[in-house]
């Protein structure tokens, strides 16, 4: 069934729960040709042939179904098989021939939570609890689509350009959806989404936040504006676009680091080098590297706050100019030259930390820098600075809390799952991608969306984000933590017939290849904090 516009939200006059119903809810809805979806708290009443408000569940011939196929992974998948839906059969009796070519892959398959349906309202076992063997060991993988209110995206933007003040609001469609957080080495960082924006503000703020998060998770471009800062277009795995200009390079290091890296190469070709950087601007002859090379002091006197010899903070304001500062003229950060040390003819290179900006000067008789054409051997080093810069990219990491009620879909004793994860008995993945488990209480996981299959994320209008999560462990450990052993089914069985229940179940499966950079999820040690 194709996704359609919904009529799913409860209508006036229709019972919204059993207590409000004047007649048995199921009977009343059936007479209206509707089914009630219980996959989230919204409880959509869905007409025949239509989808619910989340666009994930539908009424097909009077039955609730999960619209999307569930995603299974293999190491490699032929193009003819990739994303080709294969319908489940309801029982083995409907497939009397008993042969399905896909079953040959049962020992090489991994079941993901994408499209699997959810455990909500968490009184029932997870839809897929799948046993398989890995290197002779009996394992089990429990999968579900988690409904996350407590979740966010951490965005790493490889640029030294100034995006906005720390703690500034980040807006999407005019609504506040996150904030600028502490910059990291060579990268600006955003924290987007989160429970306070999803549910703690206005209805519009929650909806815009939810849609923005789903788009980011599904590797789509998102347009943002930072209060007092820049306009951004960001997309996982792509270069950021800052104020309409695609970023090219991530800086080679701070100004001090660049001085240290290239000091030997500059020696003999220059008398002074200034590497302009919003964080630490480096000055070669004053820097420890220049002193180790016995370079004479040039007499340059810099603006800003001197940290240690040859390292200066705050030479200019943050911006989108040279080295992430607001300057267009590099000479503006030089206060003066000491006539006791400087000399006419002194050769000065000024460059940014990416080499995108660079100028060559020589001091005249009045000790004033005069710009000249840069010598070829100096240009070669500046080009090498650029060569050593990595491409500027946007990284999008999903961060969600799975330590709540979805655990009941895994075990009758939820703390058993939490403890087993902390004891490194359970490997947690999101759509097959490795998930880092944060230290401390709960099950707080973080995964790179680029490693997850496309369209792994969905939404529910509560509002919240739907994301896949899988727990893989030895079968014996699953039994020990109180797992739903009666619902463990073989990989062959689930490939043939789908999940154990029929209420809101996926109707088909598809094959996808696991990301080539990622390990096979079964048999891997967990990534614990």
């Amino acid at each position: 069934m194709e996704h359609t516009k919904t009529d799913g939200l409860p209508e006036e006059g229709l019972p919204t729960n059993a207590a409000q119903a004047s007649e048995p809810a199921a009977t009343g809805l059936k007479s209206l040709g509707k089914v009630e979806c219980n996959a989230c708290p919204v409880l959509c009443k869905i007409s025949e042939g239509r989808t619910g408000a989340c666009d994930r569940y539908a009424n097909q011939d009077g039955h609730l179904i999960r619209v999307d196929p569930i995603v299974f992974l293999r190491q490699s998948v032929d193009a003819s098989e990739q994303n080709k839906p294969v319908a489940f059969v309801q029982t083995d009796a409907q497939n009397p021939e008993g042969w399905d070519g896909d079953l040959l892959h049962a020992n090489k398959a991994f079941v993901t939570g994408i499209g699997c349906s959810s455990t909500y309202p968490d009184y029932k076992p997870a839809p897929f609890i799948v046993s398989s063997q890995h290197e002779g060991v009996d394992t089990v993988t429990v999968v579900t689509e988690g409904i996350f209110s407590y979740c966010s995206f951490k965005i790493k933007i490889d640029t030294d350009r100034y995006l906005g003040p720390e703690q500034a609001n980040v807006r999407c469609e005019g609504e506040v959806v996150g904030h600028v957080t502490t910059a990291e080495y060579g990268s600006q960082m955003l924290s987007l989404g989160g429970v306070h924006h999803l549910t703690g503000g206005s209805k519009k703020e929650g909806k815009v936040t939810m849609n923005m998060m789903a788009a980011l998770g599904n590797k789509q471009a998102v347009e943002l504006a930072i209060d007092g800062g820049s306009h951004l277009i960001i997309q996982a795995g792509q270069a950021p676009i800052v104020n309409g200009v695609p970023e090219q390079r991530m800086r080679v290091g701070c100004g001090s680091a660049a001085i240290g890296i290239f000091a030997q190469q500059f020696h003999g070709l220059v008398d002074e080098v200034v590497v302009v950087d919003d964080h630490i601007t480096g000055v070669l002859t004053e820097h420890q590297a220049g002193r180790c090379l016995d370079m004479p002091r040039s007499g340059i006197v810099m603006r800003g706050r001197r940290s240690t010899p040859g390292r200066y903070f705050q030479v200019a304001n943050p911006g989108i100019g040279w080295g992430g500062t607001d300057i267009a003229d590099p000479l503006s950060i030089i206060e003066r030259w000491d006539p006791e040390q400087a000399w006419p003819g002194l050769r000065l290179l000024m460059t940014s930390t990416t080499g995108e900006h660079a100028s060559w000067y020589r001091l005249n008789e009045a000790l004033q820098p005069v710009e000249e054409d840069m010598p070829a051997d100096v240009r070669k080093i500046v080009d090498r600075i650029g060569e050593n810069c990595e491409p500027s990219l946007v990284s999008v990491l999903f961060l969600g809390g799975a330590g709540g009620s979805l655990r009941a879909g895994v075990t009758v004793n939820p703390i058993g799952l939490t403890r087993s994860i902390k004891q490194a008995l359970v490997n947690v993945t999101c759509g097959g991608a490795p998930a880092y488990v944060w230290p401390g209480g709960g099950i707080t996981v973080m995964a790179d969306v680029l490693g997850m299959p496309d369209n792994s994320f969905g939404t529910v209008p509560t509002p919240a984000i739907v994301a896949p999560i899988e727990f893989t462990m030895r079968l014996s450990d699953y039994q020990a933590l109180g797992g739903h052993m009666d619902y463990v089914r073989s990989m062959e069985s689930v490939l043939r017939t789908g999940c154990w229940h029929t209420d809101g179940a996926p109707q088909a499966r598809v094959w996808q290849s696991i990301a080539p950079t990622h390990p096979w999820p079964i048999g891997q040690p967990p990534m614990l904090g």
Side-chain angles (χ1 to χ4, degrees):
M1 176 177 291
E2 294 184 359
H3 295 266
T4 61
K5 289 288 186 182
T6 179
D7 69 343
L9 293 170
E11 297 173 2
E12 187 177 354
L14 283 176
T16 55
N17 57 47
Q20 293 173 306
S22 58
E23 58 180 323
T27 302
L29 289 171
K30 187 175 182 181
S31 66
L32 296 172
K34 294 176 180 285
V35 296
E36 181 180 87
C37 176
N38 65 359
C40 85
V42 176
L43 301 178
C44 289
K45 321 299 182 188
I46 308 174
S47 300
E48 167 67 30
R50 305 297 295 273
T51 57
C54 67
D55 219 21
R56 298 162 54 239
Y57 291 86
N59 178 344
Q60 183 181 68
D61 301 327
H63 299 285
L64 184 70
I65 66 165
R66 179 69 173 88
V67 174
D68 303 289
I70 180 174
V71 175
F72 284 74
L73 298 177
R74 292 208 312 262
Q75 293 282 13
S76 62
V77 177
D78 293 339
S80 60
E81 295 180 281
Q82 187 88 6
N83 282 325
K84 180 181 178 182
V86 178
F88 291 122
V89 295
Q90 291 188 357
T91 66
D92 286 352
Q94 289 180 293
N95 189 20
E97 294 298 323
W99 186 88
D100 183 331
D102 280 353
L103 300 185
L104 298 176
H105 300 298
N107 289 330
K108 300 180 287 185
F110 180 77
V111 55
T112 77
I114 304 167
C116 74
S117 74
S118 72
T119 64
Y120 191 83
D122 301 318
Y123 70 94
K124 57 188 177 185
F128 287 83
I129 304 176
V130 185
S131 66
S132 62
Q133 276 211 337
H134 178 76
E135 297 182 349
V137 177
D138 291 325
T139 68
V140 65
T141 299
V142 186
V143 311
T144 191
E145 286 183 307
I147 300 174
F148 294 91
S149 292
Y150 283 89
C151 63
S152 63
F153 286 92
K154 305 307 177 192
I155 313 298
K156 175 173 171 285
I157 303 174
D158 301 332
T159 181
D160 59 0
R161 301 192 198 283
Y162 178 69
L163 302 184
E166 193 169 312
Q167 303 180 21
N169 287 331
V170 179
R171 296 179 184 271
C172 181
E173 300 178 19
E175 297 294 322
V176 178
V177 297
H179 63 274
V180 178
T181 187
T182 307
E184 301 297 344
Y185 198 83
S187 304
Q188 308 297 318
M189 306 290 290
L190 307 180
S191 179
L192 301 180
V195 65
H196 294 301
H197 295 294
L198 283 169
T199 62
S202 68
K203 185 175 181 179
K204 182 181 178 186
E205 179 182 339
K207 183 177 180 181
V208 170
T209 299
M210 178 185 73
N211 291 336
M212 178 274 302
M213 294 176 70
L216 276 176
N218 290 330
K219 310 170 192 173
Q220 299 167 6
V222 169
E223 195 168 340
L224 303 170
I226 298 175
D227 288 357
S230 301
H231 179 274
L232 299 174
I233 298 177
I234 59 173
Q235 183 176 7
Q238 302 296 316
I241 300 175
V242 182
N243 293 335
V245 178
E247 185 62 287
Q248 302 292 325
R249 302 173 184 173
M250 179 181 183
R251 70 178 185 177
V252 68
C254 69
S256 175
I259 288 287
I261 293 170
F262 297 100
Q264 286 272 14
Q265 299 176 48
F266 285 129
H267 191 214
L269 301 176
V270 302
D271 298 311
E272 185 61 281
V273 178
V274 177
V275 181
V276 182
D277 181 32
D278 175 50
H279 178 209
I280 302 174
T281 290
V283 178
L284 176 58
T285 64
E286 188 182 342
H287 193 276
Q288 182 70 9
R291 296 166 68 181
C292 289
L293 293 170
D294 293 326
M295 294 186 70
R297 294 286 296 273
S298 68
I300 193 170
V301 180
M302 300 293 297
R303 300 187 189 279
R305 180 163 65 88
R306 185 172 181 265
S307 168
T308 54
R311 302 168 74 252
Y312 289 84
F313 298 150
Q314 302 165 7
V315 297
N317 294 317
I320 57 173
W322 282 56
T325 71
D326 62 347
I327 64 169
D329 176 11
L331 298 179
S332 64
I333 63 173
I334 299 175
E335 185 173 305
R336 59 185 174 84
W337 293 85
D338 182 352
E340 298 296 322
Q341 294 178 315
W343 63 94
L346 182 149
R347 300 163 298 176
L348 168 67
L349 172 68
M350 301 195 74
T351 180
S352 66
T353 49
T354 61
E356 291 172 294
H357 297 96
S359 296
W360 176 255
Y361 304 90
R362 195 180 293 270
L363 295 191
N364 62 15
E365 293 297 326
L367 301 183
Q368 298 296 318
V370 178
E371 187 165 5
E372 297 180 351
D373 292 338
M374 189 177 299
D377 45 7
V378 177
R379 170 59 66 186
K380 185 177 180 180
I381 303 172
V382 172
D383 290 344
R384 185 164 293 162
I385 292 175
E387 179 185 345
N388 277 269
C389 294
E390 297 177 80
S392 176
L393 294 175
V394 174
S395 301
V396 178
L397 275 74
F398 169 69
L399 186 62
S405 57
L406 72 76
R407 293 177 298 171
V410 181
T411 168
V412 297
N413 187 24
I415 192 63
L417 175 63
T418 307
R419 289 170 177 163
S420 295
I421 289 174
K422 301 302 171 64
Q423 293 167 2
L425 300 176
V426 180
N427 185 32
V428 185
T429 52
C430 292
Y436 172 82
V437 181
W438 281 55
I443 306 173
T444 303
V445 300
M446 185 167 67
D448 181 356
V449 304
L450 274 185
M452 301 172 68
D454 293 345
N455 299 314
S456 289
F457 292 86
T459 63
V460 292
T462 52
I465 294 296
V466 179
I469 190 164
E470 304 96 25
F471 305 96
T472 301
M473 66 205 89
R474 291 174 182 264
L475 184 61
S476 57
D477 289 331
Y478 186 55
Q479 185 170 24
L481 66 80
H484 301 291
M485 296 302 292
D486 291 343
Y487 292 84
V488 176
R489 299 165 62 225
S490 68
M491 182 65 78
E492 291 84 353
S493 176
V494 299
L495 282 171
R496 187 192 300 276
T497 63
C499 68
W500 63 265
H501 65 79
T502 58
D503 186 24
Q507 305 299 292
R509 53 179 161 79
V510 295
W511 289 109
Q512 292 191 16
S513 300
I514 193 169
T517 55
H518 286 172
W520 188 242
I522 301 176
Q524 293 298 317
M527 295 196 301
L528 298 179

